[in-house]
Amino acid sequence: MIRGPVDSSQVPRFAGPPTFARLPRIDEVSDVDIAVLGVPFDSGVSYRPGARFGPSHVRESSRLLRPYNPALAVEPFALAQVVDAGDVVANPFSIPEAVRQIEVGARALLERAGRLVTIGGDHTIALPLLRSMAAIHGPVAVVHFDAHLDTWDTYFGEPTTHGTPFRRASEEGLLDRSGCLHVGIRGPLYGAADLRQDAELGFQTVHAREMDDLGVAGVVERIRDRVRERPVYVSVDIDVLDPAFAPGTGTPESGGLLSRELLGIVRAFSTLNLIGADVVEVAPAYDHAEITGIAASHVLYELVSAMAMGVARGSAG
Ligand SMILES: N=C(N)NCCCC(=O)O
Ligand SMILES: [Zn+2]
Ligand SMILES: [Zn+2]
């Protein structure tokens, strides 16, 4: 059976399949442990559009990934059958229909694969993804890496946008309110009430300005203390990185994390019960030299590695 990426010493990286990390397509295998799904949807954005092109850009930027992860000392694609499940069809003219399509697509894949890693798309997609996770696991702990809270209420009266997924998820009971945490929050808000309401919705916050004092180890400790044994879903808005490391995104904010810091923090999920993850808000039109695409593909690689280690341990999933 096919397993793992195409050998880049035999087939050049600029040839061969356009799948994430040059992995097999889902239709080429019988059993699946981890499915990588693209969600090319960006009709929920409040500023620059273009994240609908994120999945294909991140896949293209993932061609240089290699099979051994030295930081975690694992070969993720040997530990678990990881496949590219292609893109879900999401109606760009109807947010409600797109959200239903994403939830249905994610649930079907979860039934087959058990674990799902999604490439967005704007942050709206976290809502249907969390619906699909909660349908299986019950309320989940969410560790949310973002410059933005994304717990706002509505934009132009619209409740389902990229600035509102975690408020909706909390209201719907999809979140374990005692296990959620934002990391990397920064930038101006609409008012002080934003933070109060956010806390009521179940989130603790590690602000970007705390990063230097806490360091990677300190942030990891905050995450472990908050999440513990709970099933945890990780949502990474690429704008958590400083615009220097992720210019290709729709709502950039100054003063963000280094890519090295984010990669270091994400590795901590290798010893937690990671059940699902997404990387969203990559908008290639504003990217240069694949800077953002490469950062996103490496974050995905660490997430898949962490998840594959969970598969190998046989943890709940
Ligand atoms: N989810 C992202 N990337 N951004 C939300 C920004 C919401 C706003 O325009 O205030
Ligand atoms: Zn954001
Ligand atoms: Zn976001």
Side-chain angles (χ1 to χ4, degrees):
M1 199 217 300
I2 310 180
R3 195 176 178 108
V6 171
D7 184 347
S8 296
S9 67
Q10 300 300 318
V11 182
R13 293 194 169 91
F14 34 87
T19 54
F20 179 75
R22 316 183 84 216
L23 287 164
R25 295 190 317 265
I26 196 163
D27 54 283
E28 295 177 302
V29 305
S30 47
D31 296 322
V32 182
D33 298 310
I34 300 172
V36 179
L37 175 69
V39 180
F41 172 83
D42 68 359
S43 307
V45 299
S46 56
Y47 196 48
R48 295 172 177 169
R52 66 180 61 182
F53 298 107
S56 53
H57 184 66
V58 174
R59 285 190 180 101
E60 175 143 357
S61 298
S62 71
R63 294 179 300 181
L64 191 53
L65 294 171
R66 302 182 188 86
Y68 182 64
N69 183 335
L72 290 171
V74 290
E75 290 187 43
F77 311 129
L79 286 184
Q81 177 64 285
V82 190
V83 301
D84 192 318
D87 290 342
V88 73
V89 174
N91 185 341
F93 296 102
S94 165
I95 295 175
E97 187 181 355
V99 160
R100 274 194 300 277
Q101 290 168 316
I102 296 164
E103 185 185 348
V104 168
R107 283 184 74 153
L109 268 179
L110 277 172
E111 268 158 37
R112 175 148 181 217
R115 284 175 166 88
L116 187 59
V117 176
T118 305
I119 314 172
D122 76 51
H123 225 151
T124 310
I125 71 170
L127 178 61
L129 293 171
L130 285 167
R131 284 178 181 155
S132 72
M133 293 288 153
I136 293 175
H137 298 279
V140 296
V142 170
V143 179
H144 169 221
F145 296 88
D146 203 323
H148 309 99
L149 298 167
D150 290 354
T151 50
W152 287 295
D153 192 3
T154 60
Y155 290 82
F156 298 86
E158 173 58 52
T160 311
T161 77
H162 80 152
T164 60
F166 300 107
R167 179 183 290 250
R168 298 287 94 78
S170 184
E171 289 168 348
E172 288 180 26
L174 310 177
L175 308 185
D176 180 337
R177 289 186 177 195
S178 53
C180 294
L181 183 73
H182 304 291
V183 178
I185 300 298
R186 63 190 188 273
L189 299 172
Y190 296 94
D194 293 0
L195 291 168
R196 283 197 299 275
Q197 291 175 11
D198 182 79
E200 284 161 21
L201 291 163
F203 284 90
Q204 287 185 358
T205 298
V206 177
H207 296 271
R209 60 178 180 272
E210 298 176 86
M211 194 64 231
D212 286 336
D213 287 342
L214 287 172
V216 168
V219 176
V220 166
E221 207 179 303
R222 289 281 307 273
I223 292 172
R224 280 190 203 293
D225 282 354
R226 185 71 172 153
V227 167
R228 298 176 187 275
E229 311 297 313
R230 296 176 176 88
V232 60
Y233 183 88
V234 173
S235 186
V236 179
D237 184 327
I238 204 66
D239 72 29
V240 71
L241 295 178
D242 191 87
F245 298 89
T249 195
T251 48
E253 310 279 351
S254 193
L257 271 59
L258 314 179
S259 41
R260 190 172 59 236
E261 292 169 333
L262 179 60
L263 294 169
I265 297 167
V266 164
R267 282 182 201 118
F269 292 95
S270 60
T271 54
L272 298 171
N273 184 13
L274 181 61
I275 54 157
D278 63 57
V279 176
V280 298
E281 297 283 347
V282 174
Y286 318 98
D287 205 5
H288 306 275
E290 292 187 276
I291 295 170
T292 316
I294 288 164
S297 74
H298 281 251
V299 172
L300 283 157
Y301 182 74
E302 297 298 339
L303 287 166
V304 167
S305 299
M307 215 175 252
M309 291 169 77
V311 170
R313 279 197 310 275
S315 68

